[in-house]
């Protein structure tokens, strides 16, 4: 079991090596974290891996270019941890997490 930290949010969750990063978040019942096709074809769950080792399945180049992947971006639905991971949501995922944090703080 590995720990996944969502950078800047204070959120951490467990993720088994055979479980993708998106599914592990969903199992915990996290609200506001967008998920699209869950198969690597829509790009909604794009994140940047800041630290840790991982392996990834095939991702659509329409959603994630080779340059983005070299820069540490992956699709959470196709990424599996090989160690503890620190990731940073990008675009839509980041906005949803910020909204969730505001709701939890009662704002």
């Amino acid at each position: 079991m590995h720990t996944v930290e969502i950078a800047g949010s204070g959120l951490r969750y467990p993720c088994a090596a055979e479980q993708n990063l998106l599914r592990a978040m969903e199992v915990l019942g996290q609200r506001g974290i967008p998920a699209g096709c869950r198969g690597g074809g829509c790009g909604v769950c794009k994140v940047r891996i800041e630290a840790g080792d991982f392996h990834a399945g095939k991702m659509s180049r329409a959603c994630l270019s080779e340059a983005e992947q070299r820069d540490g971006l992956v699709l959470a639905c196709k990424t599996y941890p090989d160690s503890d991971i620190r990731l940073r949501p990008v675009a839509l995922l980041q906005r949803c997490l910020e909204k969730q944090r505001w709701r939890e703080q009662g704002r």
Side-chain angles (χ1 to χ4, degrees):
M1 192 65 74
H2 302 292
T3 298
V4 177
E5 174 189 353
I6 300 176
S9 73
L11 297 174
R12 296 167 96 73
Y13 62 91
C15 186
E18 66 278 356
Q19 191 174 40
N20 68 57
L21 302 176
L22 179 62
R23 183 67 186 137
M25 285 187 278
E26 290 179 324
V27 166
L28 292 176
Q30 294 288 336
R31 286 193 260 178
I33 298 176
C37 69
R38 295 175 178 80
C42 72
V44 172
C45 63
K46 192 181 293 186
V47 298
R48 179 180 309 281
I49 303 295
E50 294 187 341
D53 297 316
F54 63 92
H55 64 280
K58 187 175 181 177
M59 296 177 244
S60 168
R61 286 294 171 220
C63 301
L64 188 74
S65 71
E66 288 181 36
E68 287 177 312
Q69 198 166 1
R70 281 192 304 271
D71 195 34
L73 292 171
V74 296
L75 301 180
C77 69
K78 298 301 262 181
T79 304
Y80 303 83
D82 293 329
S83 69
D84 289 351
I85 296 281
R86 183 176 68 243
L87 62 85
R88 184 169 301 275
V90 296
L92 181 58
L93 183 56
Q94 179 63 39
R95 286 192 300 274
C96 289
L97 285 170
E98 288 169 1
K99 285 181 185 177
Q100 178 181 344
R101 217 172 18 249
W102 279 85
R103 280 194 301 269
E104 290 172 354
Q105 293 173 353
R107 296 181 183 175

